Amino acid sequence: MRIAMIGTGYVGLVSGACFSEFGVSVVCVDQDRAKILRLERGEMPIFEPGLEQLVGANRAAGRLAFTTDLNAAVSGADAVFIAVGTPSRRGDGHADLSHVFAAAEEIGAALAESGAGRTVVVTKSTVPVGTGRRVEQILGERLPAGRFDVASNPEFLREGSAIEDFMRPDRVVIGTDSEHAKEVLGALYRPLYLLETPIVFTALETAELIKYAANAFLATKITFINEVADLCEALGADVQDVARGIGLDGRIGRKFLHAGPGFGGSCFPKDCQALVRTAEEAEAPFRIVDTVLKVNEARKRRMAERIERICGGVEGLTIAALGLTFKPNTDDMRDSPSLSILPALAAAGARVRAFDPEGMAEANKLMPEIDYCADPYETMKGADALVLITEWNAFRALDLGRVRQLLNQPLVIDLRNIYKPEEMRAAGLQYHSIGRGQVTPS
């Protein structure tokens, strides 16, 4: 089987590499010639654990190739996946579908020119309900019925564990009205049948909505436990015990019940916004998700105020921050809480020093007022407070005695609840976390 993947961003590159690992012949296409040249040299444009090795192995095996020539990639392909960006549109929060529709037009022109047989065109990008029908219209302007089929196959990849998520997914969702598309995509995902992975076939519109509904629910779950954490602090309860107590209920589940500074990343914020706008236009307001967005944005802003309050003001202080990306095991800075927290501290008069294992190059473009350091301990040397923003593994076992020695003041503010309060007390550190109260040195 042969497929083309249009777009070598996060979704396209990971999906293309993983399909090639299944034994499929994959050609990934991108207009960015510099990116394609980097990929051909084995240089990854994103950080994702295991991706470089996966790409290298399948390129060496001849199953994975990169090109800027969309016509050549599409010609003879059994399926063509559209995996281009759908960022939030400025002004109204809708998903910007211009790249999706432009790709559909190019695919239609390429298929018309090639005279190839029947091709399944699949939207892999996260798109609002109705996008697949518009792609169908665009293709139909150039191709006769029977030359193409349209399907939706939304991705459910978590940055930092995307390869595992692709290879061992909870489910695969395929939306299409075409029996031929079902057969082609069913064959493409056949290796997952060995793992008894559920393959959910739905209507086109249903598949598009499933992706948005899933992300909105997870964002709601995060926001819920964050508000529970605030209540725990007010009442003297422990949010981690509450999360465990409710998470053991099979109807609720343990995942996404970790209190923190608010969600970020490339998916939850923009997908929630797009769902809210879609619901408004359908005259079926999604009030819960609208509130989730507002609460989450306010929470990220309040984290800077929280740090200022704990420090008794930050003007003239040096603040050490560990973690810049929105989550560990990625270099993605999009909508990261650090982008709200650290500039606010700098604006309040603090000198901010920071370290992140993968995110500093991008962070430096977005926050040039921050000083970036070579390692965690250099960051905290002579600082008046240490703030933990992202829960990288590299920060989970810091030498607490050394931390105490390096800091001017023995103050640690943990926005991810990485450490146990008792060990921080024993190390002589004043410790503030989320939803668990304050710990003073013993």
Side-chain angles (χ1 to χ4, degrees):
M1 184 171 283
R2 185 173 180 275
I3 69 170
M5 186 70 63
I6 313 302
T8 59
Y10 191 87
V11 173
L13 183 54
V14 171
S15 298
C18 288
F19 275 132
S20 69
E21 182 72 5
F22 286 170
V24 176
S25 176
V26 181
V27 180
C28 292
V29 184
D30 203 291
Q31 293 179 333
D32 187 338
R33 184 173 296 276
K35 182 187 282 190
I36 292 298
L37 289 174
R38 287 183 63 195
L39 285 165
E40 288 180 336
R41 292 195 300 267
E43 300 172 10
M44 298 301 102
I46 58 172
F47 175 77
E48 178 64 32
L51 182 60
E52 183 177 345
Q53 294 81 357
L54 188 68
V55 168
N58 283 285
R59 284 195 70 236
R63 292 188 296 265
L64 180 62
F66 301 99
T67 184
T68 58
D69 189 344
L70 184 141
N71 285 18
V74 165
S75 179
D78 297 287
V80 179
F81 286 80
I82 299 175
V84 296
T86 55
S88 290
R89 205 163 60 193
R90 288 186 180 180
D92 62 7
H94 272 295
D96 182 350
L97 300 176
S98 58
H99 298 299
V100 173
F101 297 146
E105 289 175 358
E106 290 186 55
I107 292 165
L111 290 175
E113 183 178 323
S114 71
R118 193 168 181 173
T119 305
V120 181
V121 179
V122 189
T123 52
K124 195 72 174 164
S125 306
T126 301
V127 295
V129 174
T131 303
R133 296 300 175 195
R134 178 59 187 141
V135 168
E136 199 169 52
Q137 291 173 358
I138 292 170
L139 294 171
E141 291 168 3
R142 292 183 176 270
L143 299 167
R147 281 287 313 282
F148 71 94
D149 301 275
V150 173
S152 171
N153 176 216
E155 53 83 19
F156 299 97
L157 307 179
R158 296 169 298 166
E159 293 188 41
S161 57
I163 294 171
E164 178 69 13
D165 288 345
F166 193 101
M167 297 297 189
R168 297 181 179 276
D170 294 325
R171 78 292 199 196
V172 173
V173 174
I174 297 170
T176 185
D177 304 327
S178 160
E179 289 302 319
H180 175 72
K182 289 181 182 178
E183 290 175 9
V184 170
L185 293 174
L188 190 58
Y189 281 107
R190 185 181 176 279
L192 296 181
Y193 286 119
L194 302 175
L195 303 174
E196 299 184 351
T197 299
I199 309 293
V200 181
F201 288 102
T202 73
L204 194 59
E205 291 81 3
T206 302
E208 291 170 338
L209 185 55
I210 284 172
K211 175 58 188 288
Y212 278 113
N215 278 356
F217 184 82
L218 296 175
T220 301
K221 201 171 178 183
I222 293 168
T223 303
F224 175 83
I225 201 63
N226 283 340
E227 297 228 294
V228 169
D230 292 343
L231 184 59
C232 284
E233 290 179 11
L235 300 178
D238 186 315
V239 70
Q240 288 188 307
D241 289 342
V242 172
R244 184 168 184 271
I246 65 175
L248 289 170
D249 186 325
R251 298 167 300 174
I252 296 172
R254 299 172 64 178
K255 294 182 178 180
F256 290 86
L257 287 178
H258 302 288
F263 61 77
S266 62
C267 295
F268 287 0
K270 80 174 181 67
D271 290 356
C272 286
Q273 286 178 1
L275 183 59
V276 167
R277 298 296 170 260
T278 298
E280 286 175 352
E281 290 184 354
E283 297 184 354
F286 219 140
R287 291 178 290 270
I288 291 175
V289 181
D290 190 25
T291 300
V292 163
L293 282 168
K294 292 171 182 174
V295 169
N296 188 65
E297 285 307 303
R299 183 173 191 81
K300 288 192 279 190
R301 291 193 299 270
R302 286 204 312 273
M303 289 298 107
E305 297 168 6
R306 179 190 189 96
I307 294 165
E308 289 186 61
R309 184 178 66 253
I310 291 170
C311 293
V314 296
E315 186 173 4
L317 299 186
T318 297
I319 305 296
L322 295 185
L324 297 167
T325 54
F326 86 95
K327 65 179 291 188
N329 295 324
T330 180
D331 56 356
D332 198 339
M333 288 292 301
R334 285 175 287 185
D335 274 308
S336 173
S338 68
L339 296 175
S340 296
I341 297 168
L342 300 185
L345 294 177
R351 179 192 176 193
V352 181
R353 297 204 302 255
F355 172 77
D356 187 280
E358 294 293 338
M360 290 196 292
E362 185 63 23
N364 190 33
K365 300 174 190 174
L366 303 169
M367 297 184 290
E369 68 272 36
I370 306 303
D371 296 329
Y372 297 94
C373 300
D375 62 61
Y377 297 107
E378 179 188 323
T379 308
M380 65 185 77
K381 185 177 181 180
D384 298 289
L386 170 62
V387 181
L388 295 162
I389 299 178
T390 312
E391 66 277 32
W392 284 89
N393 283 339
F395 307 149
R396 291 183 178 276
L398 294 171
D399 182 335
L400 297 182
R402 190 176 176 189
V403 171
R404 174 69 184 85
Q405 250 183 351
L406 290 170
L407 291 173
N408 275 344
Q409 304 292 332
L411 176 57
V412 177
I413 303 168
D414 183 355
L415 303 183
R416 296 289 183 176
N417 291 352
I418 297 173
Y419 286 93
K420 295 179 180 178
E422 312 82 63
E423 63 184 334
M424 302 302 275
R425 179 186 289 113
L429 293 163
Q430 182 182 340
Y431 180 65
H432 297 256
S433 55
I434 301 292
R436 299 191 296 179
Q438 175 183 338
V439 166
T440 53
S442 55

